[in-house]
Amino acid sequence: MIGRLNHVAIAVKDLDAGARIYRDTLGATLSPPLPQPEHGVTVIFVELPNSKIELLEPLGEGSPITAFLERNPGGGIHHVCYEVDDILAARDRLVAQGARILGSGEPKIGAHGKPVLFLHPKDFLGTLVELEQV
Amino acid sequence: MIGRLNHVAIAVKDLDAGARIYRDTLGATLSPPLPQPEHGVTVIFVELPNSKIELLEPLGEGSPITAFLERNPGGGIHHVCYEVDDILAARDRLVAQGARILGSGEPKIGAHGKPVLFLHPKDFLGTLVELEQV
């Protein structure tokens, strides 16, 4: 069911500092910062040949990564995102197997303008998993 | 400097349970379990079209993932691995910029039979980073 590893998201308190590490220290190619107020984050994409890393900084009140950064003040891997062809079919398959979908269970339009869902980390090896329909 | 995202490693206490989640629930293609006593882990590779997930279970005494699993008993993302062309040049560039290499600082032969180094999570956004020469 799952397809490509779309991205790995790393939450950071300071996006400029995070960008310096990936651009200057690790020598990767980065996008400019992209504020996404509807998702409560500002994002920089680290473009790798086969996938990407998303550096996420909280934006505004109630950012979904604030609590994570309180637990992990130095930053850390926040989630992984796998691509699926049909997000409703994927959801129904997961629910039928007892896995929990976060939130309402209905897909939302994610950071790339495509439908996404998040799966409960306790059902997926302690890993927050995003599914994105591509 | 960094190239492809070679893999994301997820540490689990129970590799069979981890395999069931990725094979049965998420519908991915998995390798058979591969014991790697010299690395203190048994590995299952989850083959994705563009990268892979490595499920790691502790093997033997003093496994390098034991402490992580004590802190994260439900499992969790342990590290990410980026490919580099020249691991000694990469190391020297990182050290010159003040980044810390774990262990002796000399590459070891990793789980794929290629030279690897691990970078200090505190210097890389709370993320344990493996570099692998390909």
Side-chain angles (χ1 to χ4, degrees):
Chain A
M1 183 177 76
I2 56 171
R4 295 176 74 258
L5 176 62
N6 185 277
H7 64 267
V8 176
I10 298 177
V12 296
K13 280 190 173 172
D14 179 343
L15 200 52
D16 287 340
R20 278 196 298 277
I21 288 171
Y22 268 83
R23 183 187 58 228
D24 301 340
T25 308
L26 290 171
T29 300
L30 272 57
S31 76
L34 180 65
Q36 301 196 313
E38 71 280 21
H39 296 289
V41 292
T42 302
V43 183
I44 286 178
F45 299 101
V46 179
E47 302 290 350
L48 302 178
N50 62 327
S51 192
K52 56 184 179 287
I53 306 296
E54 293 188 6
L55 304 178
L56 308 178
E57 180 189 70
L59 175 62
E61 299 289 315
S63 168
I65 62 173
T66 299
F68 178 88
L69 285 167
E70 284 168 1
R71 291 194 305 274
N72 302 278
I77 297 176
H78 184 263
H79 68 266
V80 293
C81 176
Y82 302 124
E83 298 179 359
V84 294
D85 290 331
D86 181 335
I87 202 161
L88 293 178
R91 176 197 63 185
D92 293 347
R93 171 183 170 142
L94 293 170
V95 170
Q97 293 180 90
R100 287 167 286 181
I101 312 296
L102 296 185
S104 69
E106 294 305 315
K108 294 186 177 177
I109 298 303
H112 310 128
K114 295 176 178 172
V116 302
L117 285 172
F118 283 90
L119 313 182
H120 199 302
K122 289 195 176 172
D123 294 338
F124 293 92
L125 312 177
T127 302
L128 179 60
V129 173
E130 181 180 15
L131 297 182
E132 179 175 306
Q133 179 173 302
V134 292
Chain B
M1 183 177 76
I2 56 171
R4 294 175 75 257
L5 175 61
N6 185 276
H7 64 267
V8 177
I10 298 178
V12 296
K13 280 190 174 172
D14 179 343
L15 199 52
D16 287 340
R20 278 196 298 275
I21 289 172
Y22 268 83
R23 183 188 57 227
D24 301 339
T25 308
L26 290 171
T29 301
L30 273 58
S31 76
L34 180 65
Q36 301 195 315
E38 71 281 21
H39 295 289
V41 292
T42 302
V43 184
I44 286 179
F45 299 101
V46 179
E47 301 290 349
L48 302 177
N50 62 328
S51 191
K52 57 184 179 286
I53 306 296
E54 294 188 5
L55 304 178
L56 307 178
E57 179 189 70
L59 176 63
E61 300 289 315
S63 168
I65 62 173
T66 299
F68 178 88
L69 285 168
E70 285 168 1
R71 290 194 306 274
N72 303 277
I77 296 176
H78 184 263
H79 66 266
V80 293
C81 176
Y82 302 124
E83 298 179 359
V84 294
D85 290 332
D86 181 335
I87 201 161
L88 293 177
R91 176 197 64 186
D92 293 348
R93 171 184 169 143
L94 293 170
V95 169
Q97 292 180 91
R100 288 167 285 181
I101 313 295
L102 296 186
S104 68
E106 294 304 316
K108 293 186 177 178
I109 298 303
H112 310 129
K114 294 174 177 171
V116 302
L117 285 172
F118 283 89
L119 313 182
H120 200 302
K122 290 196 176 173
D123 294 339
F124 293 92
L125 311 177
T127 302
L128 178 60
V129 173
E130 181 180 14
L131 298 182
E132 179 174 307
Q133 179 172 301
V134 293

